Amino acid sequence: MYKKFLTARSPLRLLEKGLHGGLGRGNLGLVIAGHGVGKTSFLVGVALDDLIRGDHVLHVVLDQTVAHTRDFYDTVFDDLAASARLEDEAVVHADVDRRRSIRAYPPADFDASKLGEAIALEQEAGIKPVLVIVEGIDPAGLGATELSAWRAIARDLPAEIWISAAGSDEGAGVPEHLDGLREHFDVILALEPESNGVALRALKDHENPDTTALRVALDPRTLLLKRS
């Protein structure tokens, strides 16, 4: 019952509708925001949605420890459980932990081959992630050829792969140093501070020209995704 309720009521359903189906397995997504605006909260929220539905998630961090990232999941889960008045919270939490893998790597020289190795380690354990999150990498430093390799990994799994990138604190679209890489991402989202919270804006939605249909934002207190 908890899975049916939480997944049906999740603001992720509105995000998927606004993005004509969401990012989708086999695709590469980019989320841009200034420091502290909510990139990790947003991505952890996306991950928890898959985890609660019974899927597996791989979260790769290059600028944080495994323990710090695990604590972040615990905080977001607690806020989600409280807002949803979740029953059997301990059971659900244990199931989420079992389906989630967090791996930390040095930021230097992380590339498609190392991402492939991380995924291979999961598969050797009998785990096939449907969502891969990579935080702490500069997409501009990867370049076009490398990003094509990342998309190939997403397609071969198949899984959604999300990368986070730093933008301006005010939020003004795709940063200039990333603009030449737009074609290598299927979806690009920006988190933009507003007086009553954080707005979520689509800068690219696959091949759809209309990117104005999002009806979600981040709660200013919890930074969880909410209906706007």
Side-chain angles (χ1 to χ4, degrees), residues 59-76:
H59 196 135
V60 176
V61 289
L62 310 181
D63 56 353
Q64 296 291 345
T65 64
V66 170
H68 179 274
T69 305
R70 186 186 298 117
D71 288 345
F72 212 107
Y73 270 89
D74 290 344
T75 299
V76 175

Side-chain angles (χ1 to χ4, degrees), residues 46-87:
V46 172
L48 284 172
D49 186 74
D50 278 328
L51 291 165
I52 289 172
R53 286 192 283 182
D55 292 318
H56 291 273
V57 172
L58 170 62
H59 196 135
V60 176
V61 289
L62 310 181
D63 56 353
Q64 296 291 345
T65 64
V66 170
H68 179 274
T69 305
R70 186 186 298 117
D71 288 345
F72 212 107
Y73 270 89
D74 290 344
T75 299
V76 175
F77 178 86
D78 288 346
D79 285 335
L80 176 63
S83 64
R85 297 179 180 177
L86 181 64
E87 297 180 1

